[in-house]
Amino acid sequence: MSFLRTPRSHADRLSNRIADGDIGRVADEALRALDSSRGAWSTGWERVLDQLRALPAEQRRELLHALADRFHRAGDDTEARCRHLVLCTLVAEGLDGAESLADDPLAAERRKALDDLARRQSFWYAARFEVLGRAEPAAGRSLPAPVVAVIRRAAVDAYRADELVELARQLTDPVLNVGEPWAEQALSDATTPEWHALLAHAVTATASKPTAKWDKQARALLDTLGTDRVRETVLSWLALVGRPRTLPLERQEWEPDINNAYDPYNATALRGLAWLLSLLPPHPGTARALGALVETSLKKVAGLGPRNPKAANAGVIALARIDSEAALAELARLATRVTYKNTAKLLDGALEARATALGLSREEIEELAVPAYGLTDIGHAGHRLGETTALLEVRGSRAVLSWRNAAGKPVKTVPAAVKRDHQDELKDLKTAVKDIDKMLSAQSERLDRQFLARRSWPYAIWRERYLDHPLVGTLARRLLWTVDGRTAGYADGELRTLSDDPLPPGNRVELWHPVGREPAEIVAWRDWLERHGVTQPFKQAHREIYLLTDAERATGTYSNRFAAHILRQHQFHSLAAIRGWHNKLRLCVDDSAPPATRELPQWGLRAEYWIEGEGEEYGVDTTDSGSFLRLRTDQVRFYPIDAPQNSAHCYGGEYSMWLRDGRDPVAPIPLQDVPPLVLSEVLRDIDLFVGVASVGNDPTWQDGGPGGRFREYWTSYGFGELNQSAETRRLLLERLVPRLAIADRCTLEGRFLHVRGDRHTYKIHLGSGNILMSPNDQYLCIVPKSAPTTPGTGYLPYEGDRMLAVILSKAMMLAADTKITDPSILSQL
């Protein structure tokens, strides 16, 4: 049977066919050997090829035509056709020079095969498809740019062959791979030898960091072209990075989402361009573009993970090399947003290095790095543009640009005179709005993490960096602080106590936390915030408090409060990273992993959340790349920060401590010995993970998911007892519902907000947002918008509760259920 034959046995049979002088049978045997190989051109093939190429020239030509006559046997399979063409090309190489390749009877088929290959991301190096690419230049024809691109992409693969690398090195035109908008714009702009040389130098950025030699060559190119010109042009290219490909690639079944990933060859050029920018005189636009490159490059792609960490790391390295306030601000902002481990490590190193150079702490560097973005007062700036005044204001968590005419009256749109006469100023103002929005989000997250940072400030420094800072002040003035132990909030232009008395300056300032406070004090501060119309940037006065329960006192060293939940793994993984936790994605493989952990160096503790992969059916319980779609949760524990790491198999099973160098196991810390603030904040994080990532709050899972396995869990979570955050939401709704336009149709009862419509009465669960409707608690599936708003609610005491917005949006819709037009909802009513 032919599929059991080895290349050696085919070589033996081929010798007999050659001895017989029947070239047709030689061709048949060569194709049988090719079919047996399945594209694996191993060393055993050398004997077969040597025999074919040793034939006299006339017989080789005859063999080429015989192989061409049999080309139809390859059928429509691209790889089978390419293998056949590779064999023909290898036989023809060296036969009377280039003429034989030019006159090859399958030359047209070879070009078509190359065009087919060019629609792929790469090819397996052992398939020897580079032979086809080598044949075209040998025959005097240039390779199309998309073909050059696929050869280059294949050459950067970890398993590349020397012949493939050498061919890719010879293909210098075009200097970048086509198919990506930024690269094609760069190719269009680089019309002179100097610009071509700059791009060619960028492609040589193959090391992890620029060398002195690389920088020297780059500076010479910059001097030739002019720094301002280079900055303006390169920034226009970077603005296009990450946009959809202009030449979509055919995705194989086993491949990740290649059309949303970076071209790996072009990614090297992006790294070089980032390094080039760091050699230019500092400019805010450069720092902004590099920060955007980092974030765009770390966006997740299905089956791959971050788009291109190499480009992201290059952006961080470039920012670290720029000595400017804008670059430092970008590094500090990215440090609060980036969750990819290697890039986050680079950011930490860059900030630590800057702090050391200035003789400051890392925390101080982050505080000093926040720009004012042109704000001349707290959250406010006015810019005179001709007879028009532009007002840049921070309202809540967003920046807003508004306009006043010469008489001081508001106008709704940008005046025509401004568009005509002040284009640059208008562009700068719009850019400032975007920058402020990004920085507000980053600073809000940083402030929210201060509860566990044990930070305190001298009063004067705190006022400068927080309360009176033009940007940070818009957040700090909506929070509660303790000054020398006395709590105060900002209202009517001053820090004020609970009785509204002005609070005089003090010595030390800390961020106020409700743990350890009397309930009456917490409620009183909530009333104070409402009385002064203060909406906090995150939950502080309304922050959930997680106290030790009797069950946890009984277990002693672990909490089962958040055990036995089913979470969407990738959503959990992202949330954990944002909140400062370290986690390893569970793959459906024979491997082990540590629990999700959060290190708390200020407290000498490490928190652990024990998790395991859920399911075992590949493709149903996993992604195409093999990572589990869902996790099952278990205990929460605390250990000394330097205790050996626990780990368990990804499929599940008992966690055990990995002991090295004869170390003894370390026992978990009793929960009653964990500081109450630490316990509360860690459990609050985990409550967030469960509340957001649980499959129980997915309205489309009423069937219980794959095979109905999770129906019981979905029902118990989606309509069961409220967790702490849902209880907080319920308390807020008690105050909020009477103010709603639909107040006469709403009542709060237990775990539900009841809404009376004209068709039915509805019960909206305050934890999951799931809905039951009368008369028999029939389930109603309404999938919320990606970014729901809270319509007609008036004052809210804090920002950031997405589920509250979902519940209120559903309530507004269902109270007017006769006006619903969505067919997917109407079919259920």
Side-chain angles (χ1 to χ4, degrees):
M1 300 176 66
S2 64
F3 64 85
L4 294 177
R5 295 192 183 112
T6 65
R8 176 176 293 277
S9 64
H10 281 297
D12 293 338
R13 293 169 64 86
L14 188 62
S15 296
N16 296 332
R17 301 293 176 259
I18 292 173
D20 293 340
D22 189 338
I23 295 300
R25 297 186 69 186
V26 170
D28 290 336
E29 188 59 41
L31 291 174
R32 276 194 288 270
L34 185 68
D35 185 57
S36 297
S37 74
R38 299 280 181 193
W41 296 77
S42 59
T43 51
W45 260 96
E46 290 302 318
R47 184 179 171 194
V48 172
L49 294 174
D50 287 345
Q51 288 177 292
L52 297 177
R53 287 186 286 205
L55 290 171
E58 195 57 41
Q59 285 187 317
R60 284 173 71 184
R61 290 192 183 90
E62 187 180 350
L63 175 59
L64 281 174
H65 284 278
L67 290 172
D69 291 341
R70 290 159 174 76
F71 185 67
H72 65 277
R73 297 182 185 178
D76 296 327
D77 181 72
T78 297
E79 294 193 3
R81 294 167 69 88
C82 286
R83 287 196 296 269
H84 194 123
L85 291 165
V86 167
L87 176 61
C88 293
T89 305
L90 289 170
V91 170
E93 282 184 336
L95 188 61
D96 291 338
E99 289 186 7
S100 63
L101 286 171
D103 297 334
D104 183 354
L106 293 178
E109 292 291 351
R110 185 171 63 243
R111 289 192 292 273
K112 181 178 182 301
L114 284 170
D115 288 341
D116 289 342
L117 282 174
R119 292 196 291 270
R120 295 190 178 184
Q121 167 74 358
S122 182
F123 54 78
W124 185 35
Y125 78 97
R128 301 294 306 274
F129 293 157
E130 84 282 354
V131 171
L132 304 182
R134 198 168 63 215
E136 289 299 285
R141 291 184 291 267
S142 61
L143 286 172
V147 177
V148 173
V150 74
I151 291 173
R152 285 171 171 168
R153 289 193 293 266
V156 300
D157 188 276
Y159 299 99
R160 60 194 182 275
D162 291 342
E163 297 89 342
L164 179 58
V165 174
E166 180 58 31
L167 174 61
R169 187 179 294 117
Q170 295 170 7
L171 300 175
T172 58
D173 186 34
V175 66
L176 299 176
N177 280 354
V178 298
E180 292 182 317
W182 83 264
E184 294 191 355
Q185 185 62 52
L187 291 172
S188 175
D189 292 339
T191 55
T192 66
E194 293 80 10
W195 277 107
H196 189 277
L198 183 139
L199 287 177
H201 187 58
V203 174
T204 66
T206 54
S208 59
K209 293 182 180 180
T211 62
K213 180 180 178 182
W214 194 95
D215 280 349
K216 182 179 179 181
Q217 292 177 269
R219 286 192 174 95
L221 291 166
L222 296 175
D223 290 342
T224 302
L225 289 165
T227 55
D228 289 344
R229 184 182 175 196
V230 170
R231 179 178 59 248
E232 182 180 347
T233 304
V234 174
L235 293 191
S236 72
W237 299 344
L238 294 190
L240 301 175
V241 172
R243 293 193 179 183
R245 287 183 59 86
T246 57
L247 299 175
L249 300 172
E250 293 178 353
R251 181 182 178 186
Q252 306 300 307
E253 183 178 354
W254 45 268
E255 284 184 311
D257 185 5
I258 52 178
N259 283 304
N260 278 315
Y262 287 4
D263 184 302
Y265 181 83
N266 286 349
T268 300
L270 280 176
R271 177 159 61 186
L273 291 174
W275 294 351
L276 280 165
L277 288 173
S278 69
L279 299 175
L280 301 176
H283 188 278
T286 300
R288 187 181 303 116
L290 290 170
L293 176 65
V294 173
E295 292 185 291
T296 302
S297 301
L298 292 180
K299 286 184 177 179
K300 298 292 182 65
V301 170
L304 180 66
R307 273 174 167 168
N308 198 280
K310 178 169 72 174
N313 293 348
V316 173
I317 290 170
L319 284 167
R321 300 205 314 163
I322 299 174
D323 186 12
S324 74
E325 291 184 1
L328 180 58
E330 277 299 312
L331 288 170
R333 184 185 69 81
L334 290 169
T336 69
R337 309 301 299 166
V338 168
T339 60
Y340 183 70
K341 185 176 180 180
N342 290 339
T343 308
K345 185 177 179 181
L346 276 177
L347 284 163
D348 287 342
L351 289 171
E352 290 287 355
R354 193 67 62 90
T356 301
L358 296 175
L360 301 171
S361 69
R362 161 70 182 274
E363 291 80 8
E364 288 177 303
I365 277 291
E366 290 184 343
E367 292 168 355
L368 293 171
V370 186
Y373 294 110
L375 298 172
T376 54
D377 197 358
I378 307 302
H380 178 88
H383 298 270
R384 189 76 177 177
L385 304 179
E387 294 186 350
T388 303
T389 300
L391 296 179
L392 179 59
E393 297 176 288
V394 176
R395 299 177 186 172
S397 59
R398 301 296 301 274
V400 178
L401 191 60
S402 59
W403 303 91
R404 299 287 188 274
N405 61 19
K409 294 183 178 180
V411 291
K412 292 184 178 180
T413 59
V414 183
V418 172
K419 293 180 180 179
R420 183 185 65 245
D421 302 330
H422 302 278
Q423 295 180 14
D424 291 342
E425 294 95 327
L426 178 60
K427 180 180 178 182
D428 289 343
L429 285 171
K430 290 182 176 180
T431 299
V433 168
K434 295 178 181 178
D435 288 345
I436 289 171
D437 284 349
K438 288 182 180 179
M439 187 57 80
L440 280 172
S441 175
Q443 291 304 309
S444 179
E445 182 64 39
R446 184 176 70 84
L447 281 165
D448 197 13
R449 293 184 185 181
Q450 295 303 307
F451 293 113
L452 284 173
R454 305 188 86 170
R455 286 276 283 149
S456 68
W457 300 265
Y459 184 85
I461 289 178
W462 169 75
R463 284 211 65 128
E464 177 188 354
R465 298 178 186 174
Y466 286 88
L467 202 68
D468 296 334
H469 188 281
L471 181 70
V472 182
T474 65
L475 302 171
R477 293 186 177 196
R478 294 188 283 141
L479 295 171
L480 300 177
W481 304 86
T482 61
V483 180
D484 296 339
R486 297 183 65 188
T487 306
Y490 192 89
D492 300 325
E494 292 188 79
L495 283 172
R496 297 183 181 276
T497 64
L498 196 56
S499 58
D500 279 339
D501 296 322
L503 185 70
N507 294 312
R508 302 295 299 185
V509 182
E510 294 180 347
L511 192 59
W512 181 88
H513 194 285
V515 159
R517 309 284 176 175
E518 292 295 330
E521 179 189 353
I522 296 172
V523 171
W525 276 112
R526 291 177 180 177
D527 291 339
W528 186 93
L529 292 169
E530 184 173 345
R531 185 169 71 250
H532 290 283
V534 176
T535 297
Q536 299 200 288
F538 48 80
K539 291 181 184 178
Q540 186 189 25
H542 292 76
R543 203 170 188 85
E544 299 83 6
I545 301 174
Y546 298 79
L547 302 176
L548 205 61
T549 64
D550 290 340
E552 288 161 345
R553 291 189 183 91
T555 56
T557 58
Y558 62 90
S559 169
N560 276 327
R561 195 184 306 201
F562 299 103
H565 286 281
I566 307 298
L567 310 184
R568 293 178 287 270
Q569 172 170 217
H570 293 83
Q571 193 170 18
F572 164 77
H573 185 71
S574 297
L575 281 170
I578 290 171
R579 295 298 298 169
W581 290 69
H582 300 290
N583 182 53
K584 180 179 178 181
L585 283 174
R586 267 57 177 173
L587 302 178
C588 190
V589 295
D590 185 13
D591 191 14
S592 61
T597 61
R598 181 170 181 180
E599 294 185 348
L600 306 164
Q602 294 85 354
W603 306 85
L605 297 174
R606 181 181 77 228
E608 297 187 352
Y609 190 24
W610 289 9
I611 53 178
E612 62 185 51
E614 162 51 47
E616 56 186 22
E617 188 173 347
Y618 200 95
V620 173
D621 297 313
T622 71
T623 64
D624 291 341
S625 59
S627 59
F628 282 104
L629 290 170
R630 292 167 289 275
L631 299 172
R632 187 177 295 273
T633 67
D634 202 347
Q635 302 175 5
V636 178
R637 293 190 177 206
F638 292 85
Y639 288 87
I641 195 168
D642 57 352
Q645 183 69 66
N646 286 304
S647 63
H649 200 281
C650 292
Y651 284 102
E654 184 177 357
Y655 273 90
S656 59
M657 192 165 279
W658 187 34
L659 302 175
R660 300 170 58 187
D661 303 324
R663 293 189 67 179
D664 295 326
V666 176
I669 295 173
L671 295 180
Q672 64 182 8
D673 293 341
V674 176
L677 187 148
V678 174
L679 179 71
S680 183
E681 284 297 298
V682 167
L683 293 182
R684 184 177 184 272
D685 276 354
I686 295 172
D687 196 355
L688 169 70
F689 303 155
V690 173
V692 174
S694 171
V695 301
N697 60 27
D698 186 337
T700 66
W701 266 51
Q702 68 268 28
D703 61 353
R709 299 200 313 263
F710 308 107
R711 185 177 292 110
E712 183 178 348
Y713 170 76
W714 184 85
T715 302
S716 65
Y717 181 90
F719 300 104
E721 295 298 324
L722 301 181
N723 59 17
Q724 195 67 37
S725 59
E727 286 286 0
T728 300
R729 191 175 299 125
R730 189 186 192 286
L731 292 173
L732 176 57
L733 284 169
E734 286 180 351
R735 289 173 166 256
L736 198 59
V737 166
R739 307 173 190 168
L740 298 177
I742 57 170
D744 60 330
R745 289 178 171 260
C746 296
T747 55
L748 275 169
E749 297 181 23
R751 305 187 295 269
F752 296 92
L753 173 63
H754 291 245
V755 180
R756 177 173 53 82
D758 293 320
R759 298 172 182 265
H760 301 275
T761 296
Y762 308 89
K763 298 194 300 184
I764 307 175
H765 191 262
L766 302 181
S768 66
N770 290 337
I771 306 168
L772 299 174
M773 60 182 178
S774 63
N776 54 0
D777 280 353
Q778 179 181 345
Y779 178 67
L780 174 61
C781 177
I782 298 179
V783 179
K785 296 179 181 178
S786 57
T789 57
T790 50
T793 55
Y795 168 77
L796 291 175
Y798 52 81
E799 299 170 351
D801 189 344
R802 181 181 183 277
M803 185 54 69
L804 175 65
V806 168
I807 290 170
L808 290 172
S809 295
K810 289 181 176 181
M812 295 288 185
M813 175 190 293
L814 296 173
D817 56 2
T818 56
K819 297 180 181 179
I820 294 175
T821 58
D822 188 310
S824 65
I825 300 175
L826 284 175
S827 64
Q828 303 175 71
L829 298 179

